[in-house]
């Protein structure tokens, strides 16, 4: 198993290195085959590792690669931890990423930097796999930084556009703020436990004081808010839509934003030590889910609607973590990977058919022109809306049921978010595929066209996964389900009342009702776009003025402080101090230079006078 697990990492890295060295002599097809094949091979190896793990006695294997860092009492190996959680992450990361790679061969056809794009994609997948397979926080941090760096490169892929360059910098800076939390958590843990390996931390976690445990949990939450785009660091993610659509799908569905949730779930034994820390996590997740859903209701860019949808869905996962429903969080993460990749790639197909147009006001009536994109997108829409029997109904319902059992106010907030989800996704669906055709000017009189098979085939696979994904963890399956497979890796599972069968059916009915209400509201309101724009609230369209607030409170004061420093501090204080020292030295030098005349008679006279002073002094002492 050790060799197979190592190869899961090495194939995407090998694809990156091969394209880096030989890419200039390869055509698009060859680059696409190598890049896609490397990730697909990693997916196959993940399946093999999963099967081997099922037959392993402890279902927990540490793969030591080499000794990495040894400084004093700090010993950090380069080692992998293969357990149910890490291999589950590997399966959907590699599987979804392989489909996105295949899709990219068609979507990015003809791009000038086709080679560089696939370089970044392969390195992105390698970094994410390193993050989830690492057996210690330091190696996880290397992957953590790797996905952050790759996201910066890919978001600002069209760097000649100011908006793309700014979006890349924004994503990079917001994630660096989150990284501070990750570093603080590592410092706190090592200072008390003297280890940074996961198994070592878990075995000693009980010795942490309540204060240190809470501080560590809050630091981990800060790290997660940066990487998984939660309040207060969520507003980098919508701007990240400046990158090519396959990048959006990769960031939102398979890598990057799931990393924060993974970190919180992985550190569940530490979360178990702080009830206040877990409550803070739950509140942040619930509020983020609701706020992002309200913002999505008024966005006009099809990709930004989906971006805020991701923020909202990740909020559900964080909420589940906060109430101790780790299995539900991972279940939603997997089903979200299916339907969010489907929705993003479907939106890419729509954009491709309209020559790059992303404004939903300039779409409409596309159903008949996109015979494969339309039905697959419809499945994605129903799945994320929570309509049974699609995967989203089961996974979101699992989260809400667990929240209901532990925190009723947050459950109400979750149900309200579900209504909004049904509404904004139905609005997107209607404006894009139904109604009048408003795209003629954008297509210059030509009808939209369906995408090539390399783009539609992944849509079909993802649609099928969105339909059947719920079987991974159906509520009446307890032993061989996803939850049963994952539970042994969790150090804490919230204790609470288990809803009766009648209550579970009642909660499921509420979930369906919430989705239907959202759907009916959207279809009623958006039948005529000309009279419906009044429901697009400027406050929500401008993201609750979140960026404006940051600009007013942080951006402008810092800019003014920098300008003041440039106008006053640097020239008058810093340069003035340096100039003052230089002038003082110069003037003292000029004064001393007068003494150094160069005439011997002057030096002789000075010697005689000095000798006379000494003699007078001596005589005075004797007398």
């Amino acid at each position: 198993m050790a060799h197979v697990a190592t190869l899961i990492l090495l194939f995407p890295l090998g694809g990156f290195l091969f394209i880096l060295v030989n890419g200039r002599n390869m055509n698009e097809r060859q680059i696409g085959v190598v890049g896609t094949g490397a990730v697909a091979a990693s997916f196959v190896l993940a399946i093999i590792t999963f099967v081997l793990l099922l037959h392993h006695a402890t279902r927990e294997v540490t793969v030591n690669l080499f000794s990495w860092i040894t400084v004093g009492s700090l010993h950090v190996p380069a080692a992998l931890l293969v357990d149910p959680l890490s291999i589950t992450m590997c399966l959907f990361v590699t599987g979804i990423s392989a489909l996105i790679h295949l899709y990219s061969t068609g979507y990015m056809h003809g791009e000038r930097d086709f080679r560089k794009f696939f370089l970044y994609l392969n390195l992105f997948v390698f970094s994410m796999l390193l993050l989830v397979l690492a057996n210690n926080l330091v190696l996880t941090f290397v992957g953590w930084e790797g996905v952050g760096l790759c996201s910066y490169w890919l978001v600002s892929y069209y760097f000649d556009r100011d908006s793309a360059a700014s979006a890349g910098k924004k994503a990079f800076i917001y994630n660096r703020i989150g990284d501070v939390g990750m570093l603080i958590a590592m410092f706190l843990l090592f200072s008390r436990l003297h280890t940074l390996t996961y198994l070592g931390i878990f075995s000693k976690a009980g010795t942490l004081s309540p204060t240190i445990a809470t501080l560590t949990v809050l630091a981990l939450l800060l790290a997660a808010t940066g990487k998984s785009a939660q309040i207060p660091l969520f507003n980098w993610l919508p701007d990240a839509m400046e990158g090519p659509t396959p990048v959006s799908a990769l960031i939102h569905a398979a890598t990057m934003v799931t990393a924060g949730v993974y970190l919180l779930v992985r550190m569940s034994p530490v979360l178990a030590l702080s009830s206040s820390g877990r409550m803070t996590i739950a509140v942040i997740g619930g509020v983020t889910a609701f706020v992002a859903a309200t913002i999505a209701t008024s966005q006009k860019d099809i990709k930004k609607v989906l971006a805020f949808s991701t923020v909202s869905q990740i909020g559900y996962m964080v909420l589940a973590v906060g109430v101790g429903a780790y299995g539900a969080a991972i279940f939603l993460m997997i089903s979200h990977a299916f339907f969010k990749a489907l929705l993003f790639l479907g939106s890419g197909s729509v954009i491709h058919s309209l020559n790059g147009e992303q404004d939903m006001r300039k779409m409409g009536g596309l159903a008949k022109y996109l015979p494969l994109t339309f039905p697959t997108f419809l499945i994605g829409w129903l799945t994320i809306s929570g309509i049974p029997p699609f995967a989203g109904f089961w996974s979101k319902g699992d989260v809400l049921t667990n929240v209901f059992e532990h925190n009723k106010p947050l459950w109400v907030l979750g149900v309200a978010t579900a209504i909004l989800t049904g509404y904004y996704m139905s609005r997107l669906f209607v404006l894009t595929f139904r109604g009048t055709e408003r795209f003629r000017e954008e297509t210059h009189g030509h009808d939209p066209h369906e995408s090539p098979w390399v783009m539609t085939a992944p849509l079909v696979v993802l649609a099928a996964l969105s339909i059947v994904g719920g079987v991974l963890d159906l509520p009446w399956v307890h032993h061989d389900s996803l939850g049963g497979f994952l539970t042994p890796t969790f150090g804490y599972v919230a204790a609470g009342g288990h809803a009766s069968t009648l209550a579970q059916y009642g909660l499921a009915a509420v979930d369906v009702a919430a989705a239907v209400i959202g759907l009916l509201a959207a279809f009623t309101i958006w039948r005529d776009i000309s009279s419906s724009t009044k429901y697009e609230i400027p406050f929500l369209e401008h993201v609750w003025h979140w960026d404006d607030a940051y600009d007013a409170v942080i951006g402008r004061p810092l800019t003014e402080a920098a300008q003041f420093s440039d106008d006053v501090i640097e020239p008058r204080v810093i340069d003035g101090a340096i100039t003052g020292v230089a002038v003082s030295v110069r003037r003292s030098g000029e004064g001393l230079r007068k003494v150094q005349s160069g005439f011997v008679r002057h030096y002789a006279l000075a010697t005689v006078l000095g000798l006379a002073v000494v003699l007078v002094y001596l005589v005075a002492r004797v007398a």
Side-chain angles (χ1 to χ4, degrees), residues 159-339:
F159 58 86
D160 52 346
R161 298 199 309 240
D162 289 341
S163 57
S166 296
K169 289 185 288 185
K170 185 175 182 179
F172 191 80
I173 292 170
Y174 273 61
N175 275 269
R176 298 296 74 73
I177 296 171
D179 292 348
V180 172
M182 181 80 158
L183 291 171
I184 291 173
M186 285 196 286
F187 296 154
L188 288 171
L189 290 169
F190 184 75
S191 67
R192 296 300 190 277
L193 307 181
H194 307 293
T195 182
L196 288 174
T197 62
Y198 290 122
L199 298 182
I201 291 171
F202 301 159
S203 65
K204 300 178 181 180
T207 63
L208 293 173
S209 68
T211 300
I212 295 298
T214 298
L215 290 174
T216 303
V217 171
L218 294 178
L220 292 170
L221 175 59
L222 176 60
T225 59
K227 196 67 71 180
S228 291
Q230 299 292 285
I231 289 175
L233 301 176
F234 75 99
N235 42 329
W236 68 267
L237 190 58
D239 289 354
M241 298 304 96
E242 291 290 340
T245 301
V247 173
S248 303
L250 194 63
I251 290 176
H252 289 247
T255 60
M256 191 69 171
V257 295
T258 62
V261 180
Y262 165 78
L263 177 67
L264 293 176
V265 173
R266 173 58 79 189
M267 297 299 291
S268 58
V270 178
L271 269 59
L273 304 175
S274 175
S275 58
S276 58
R278 294 197 306 276
M279 176 54 68
T280 304
I281 292 172
V283 171
I284 289 292
V287 173
T288 302
F290 178 76
V291 170
T294 63
I295 295 169
T297 61
S298 296
Q299 298 301 306
K300 298 178 174 66
D301 186 316
I302 186 172
K303 287 175 64 178
K304 284 201 172 183
V305 175
L306 296 176
F308 282 109
S309 167
T310 296
V311 176
S312 183
Q313 296 297 309
I314 296 291
Y316 271 124
M317 299 174 207
V318 174
L319 173 58
V321 171
V323 299
Y326 303 117
I330 298 299
F331 184 25
L332 180 56
M333 183 190 294
I334 296 172
S335 65
H336 176 263
F338 297 157
F339 63 70

Side-chain angles (χ1 to χ4, degrees), residues 36 67 74 93 120 172 253 256 298 339-340 425 441 594 614:
T36 305
S67 179
L74 175 63
V93 167
Y120 293 161
F172 191 80
M256 191 69 171
S298 296
F339 63 70
K340 188 51 60 70
M425 286 305 304
E441 292 184 4
K594 294 177 181 180
V614 172

Side-chain angles (χ1 to χ4, degrees), residues 11-35:
F11 265 101
L13 180 61
F16 164 78
L17 294 174
F18 188 88
I19 296 173
L20 179 66
V21 174
N22 303 293
R24 295 188 184 279
N25 301 318
M26 300 166 67
N27 57 35
E28 282 189 4
R29 180 182 177 84
Q30 292 169 331
I31 292 173
V33 168
V34 171

Side-chain angles (χ1 to χ4, degrees), residues 32-84:
V33 168
V34 171
T36 305
V39 180
S42 188
F43 173 61
V44 172
L45 291 168
I47 295 175
I48 295 172
T49 305
F50 168 72
V51 174
L52 293 174
L53 190 65
L54 287 177
H55 295 87
H56 192 273
T58 61
R59 291 190 177 179
E60 184 180 270
V61 178
T62 297
V63 182
N64 290 299
L65 302 178
F66 54 87
S67 179
W68 183 28
I69 299 175
T70 301
V71 180
S73 61
L74 175 63
H75 301 283
V76 180
L80 311 180
L81 176 61
V82 182
D83 67 356

Side-chain angles (χ1 to χ4, degrees), residues 397-448:
D398 195 8
V399 170
L400 290 176
T401 299
N402 279 278
V403 174
F404 177 82
E405 293 178 11
H406 298 95
N407 193 302
K408 301 299 189 294
L410 288 176
W411 174 77
V412 172
L413 193 63
V415 172
T417 302
I419 295 174
L420 292 172
T421 302
Y423 170 79
Y424 68 69
M425 286 305 304
S426 299
R427 168 178 172 267
L428 181 152
F429 182 79
V430 171
L431 289 178
T432 303
F433 293 101
R434 312 301 298 177
T436 58
E437 299 177 357
R438 303 180 299 277
F439 51 75
R440 291 298 174 188
E441 292 184 4
E442 312 309 319
T443 58
H444 306 292
H446 299 291
D447 287 341

